[in-house]
Amino acid sequence: MQEYIILLKDSIYQYLVNYIDIDFTLWLSWLLMPLIITFVLPLVIVILLYISALILYTYKLHWNHVRNTFDRGDKWGAARKAVAALWDSHGWLWHGYEVKGLEYIEEKGPALIIYYHGAIPIDVYYFMTKILFFKNRLVHTVADYFLFNIPGFSIIAESMKVIPGTIQSCANVLKEGNLLAIAPGGVYESQFSHKYNLMWKKRLGFAKVALEAEVPIIPMFTENVREAFRTVTIGRRFFLKLYALTKFPFTPIYGGFPVKMITHIGKPIKYDPSLTPEELQTKVAEAIDQLILKHQRLPGSITYGLLDRIPYLRSKHLKKKY
């Protein structure tokens, strides 16, 4: 038996020496490692989403056993806090995540939050946790229809109040006194906006929702959101045609870079019945564009986004800017 093992080792060694250039293989692995990492890191977000779903499924399964510990309240309350703690920790460790302008989010009362959509809206996940912890409020969100067909997403949608979002359903959420977040650019903006340009086309749905519900609109933008995750620019025309045909985001996403991320909340735009949906859309777009121009380094830079994690270098950049 021992002789057989020695013979097998010798055979493997001879094969490696004769047929595989070890030095070249190691060099190629070293060369391609950064590229491999940039496409693997987005999977961390997928893993976190499925961990969230697992926590929620477990909570739902054992609800009958734990509900006696609550006199009354929201069925999902404790589970949301557990999931929020997971995402808040990830945001703090990986991106040094912060929110500025929290004073514009009221303790009570409805508001429509309109934001710029990054390649992956990871900033919205972090933002929701901050509002949950600091304001004790749940931010309802609108997601694209294709997400509801992904296994595991239904439990997240049920507990976190994620809806496909028609004008009427969104207005009803606001009329009930809730916070609702919408990215008018949606998947189209996430896939093809590479320079922080809003890609809303003629989408007026959110403006109609705000006017019908008679609520203020709060503009929001997250600094370096597109430096954390990016979409591949090669083959843009092909992916545009593919998206136009299928409405599915086929453009590959890479990144997961630990850049500094700060969500900036703008001053609320009060309800004005004299405005048309077109006028309101323009007003909100201008407010978000101002947040982008004020807080985002243009063109975006992954390197500078990483350097922003160092307080001294960030303060130096801010002094130059202002």
Side-chain angles (χ1 to χ4, degrees), residues 259-294:
V259 297
K260 179 68 176 179
M261 291 179 68
I262 302 177
T263 291
H264 300 276
I265 303 173
K267 188 176 181 181
I269 298 170
K270 295 182 179 179
Y271 167 68
D272 184 351
S274 66
L275 293 176
T276 64
E278 290 79 8
E279 291 170 336
L280 183 56
Q281 186 212 46
T282 301
K283 193 172 183 178
V284 175
E286 289 174 353
I288 295 180
D289 277 333
Q290 286 302 311
L291 288 176
I292 294 172
L293 290 172
K294 183 178 180 180

Side-chain angles (χ1 to χ4, degrees), residues 102-118:
L102 268 176
E103 64 273 13
Y104 293 128
I105 306 292
E106 300 290 343
E107 300 287 344
K108 294 181 179 180
L112 178 60
I113 301 166
I114 300 298
Y115 64 95
Y116 170 80
H117 202 308

Side-chain angles (χ1 to χ4, degrees), residues 112 142 145 163-175 180 182 202-215 277:
L112 178 60
V142 172
Y145 283 96
I163 59 174
T166 62
I167 292 175
Q168 191 57 53
S169 64
C170 289
N172 289 339
V173 168
L174 291 167
K175 288 176 181 178
L180 177 66
I182 298 176
K202 295 182 180 180
R203 298 180 179 181
L204 303 172
F206 78 91
K208 294 177 180 178
V209 166
L211 291 172
E212 182 176 336
E214 300 181 4
V215 298

Side-chain angles (χ1 to χ4, degrees), residues 19 29 77 100 119 142-143 163 218 221-222 259 295 318:
Y19 296 100
S29 300
K100 293 188 176 179
V142 172
I163 59 174
I218 300 175
F221 169 74
T222 300
V259 297
H295 300 291
L318 292 175

Side-chain angles (χ1 to χ4, degrees), residues 1-295:
M1 183 67 180
Q2 189 174 0
E3 292 178 358
Y4 175 77
I5 294 174
I6 293 172
L7 182 63
L8 182 62
K9 286 181 178 179
D10 289 340
S11 299
I12 293 173
Y13 176 78
Q14 291 298 324
Y15 176 81
L16 291 174
V17 170
N18 294 328
Y19 296 100
I20 298 177
D21 189 334
I22 300 296
D23 291 335
F24 174 75
T25 304
L26 290 173
W27 175 82
L28 187 64
S29 300
W30 174 83
L31 180 67
L32 296 178
M33 187 58 68
L35 182 63
I36 293 169
I37 289 174
T38 59
F39 283 96
V40 169
L41 280 176
L43 293 177
V44 173
I45 303 305
V46 176
I47 292 169
L48 285 175
L49 283 169
Y50 273 99
I51 291 174
S52 301
L54 180 61
I55 291 172
L56 294 168
Y57 270 121
T58 303
Y59 185 82
K60 184 177 182 180
L61 180 64
H62 293 284
W63 169 244
N64 289 330
H65 300 288
V66 301
R67 63 180 175 182
N68 292 328
T69 62
F70 300 94
D71 293 330
R72 59 181 181 177
D74 185 2
K75 170 184 175 181
W76 293 106
R80 287 194 194 108
K81 291 290 178 71
V83 171
L86 173 71
W87 285 95
D88 189 56
S89 299
H90 183 271
W92 178 71
L93 288 169
W94 200 248
H95 295 291
Y97 180 74
E98 300 177 51
V99 177
K100 293 188 176 179
L102 268 176
E103 64 273 13
Y104 293 128
I105 306 292
E106 300 290 343
E107 300 287 344
K108 294 181 179 180
L112 178 60
I113 301 166
I114 300 298
Y115 64 95
Y116 170 80
H117 202 308
I120 295 178
I122 190 171
D123 56 318
V124 178
Y125 309 157
Y126 299 149
F127 170 73
M128 290 172 66
T129 67
K130 293 296 185 186
I131 299 302
L132 192 60
F133 285 133
F134 286 96
K135 299 289 182 177
N136 199 30
R137 301 191 67 183
L138 176 66
V139 179
H140 296 232
T141 53
V142 172
D144 197 278
Y145 283 96
F146 84 89
L147 287 169
F148 294 88
N149 295 320
I150 296 177
F153 186 77
S154 61
I155 191 75
I156 296 176
E158 180 185 352
S159 61
M160 297 299 180
K161 305 299 182 184
V162 184
I163 59 174
T166 62
I167 292 175
Q168 191 57 53
S169 64
C170 289
N172 289 339
V173 168
L174 291 167
K175 288 176 181 178
E176 291 170 359
N178 298 301
L179 296 172
L180 177 66
I182 298 176
V187 174
Y188 181 72
E189 186 171 85
S190 77
Q191 293 272 283
F192 306 110
S193 170
H194 301 292
K195 299 179 180 178
Y196 293 97
N197 52 311
L198 299 180
M199 302 182 75
W200 295 1
K201 296 185 177 180
K202 295 182 180 180
R203 298 180 179 181
L204 303 172
F206 78 91
K208 294 177 180 178
V209 166
L211 291 172
E212 182 176 336
E214 300 181 4
V215 298
I217 291 179
I218 300 175
M220 187 177 86
F221 169 74
T222 300
E223 187 177 347
N224 290 328
V225 65
R226 201 161 277 277
E227 312 318 312
F229 291 94
R230 289 184 170 183
T231 51
V232 173
T233 56
I234 298 173
R236 176 183 169 86
R237 290 185 179 179
F238 170 74
F239 288 116
L240 270 169
K241 291 180 180 178
L242 200 58
Y243 176 76
L245 289 172
T246 64
K247 300 302 179 184
F248 188 86
F250 284 104
T251 309
I253 296 173
Y254 68 97
F257 305 111
V259 297
K260 179 68 176 179
M261 291 179 68
I262 302 177
T263 291
H264 300 276
I265 303 173
K267 188 176 181 181
I269 298 170
K270 295 182 179 179
Y271 167 68
D272 184 351
S274 66
L275 293 176
T276 64
E278 290 79 8
E279 291 170 336
L280 183 56
Q281 186 212 46
T282 301
K283 193 172 183 178
V284 175
E286 289 174 353
I288 295 180
D289 277 333
Q290 286 302 311
L291 288 176
I292 294 172
L293 290 172
K294 183 178 180 180
H295 300 291

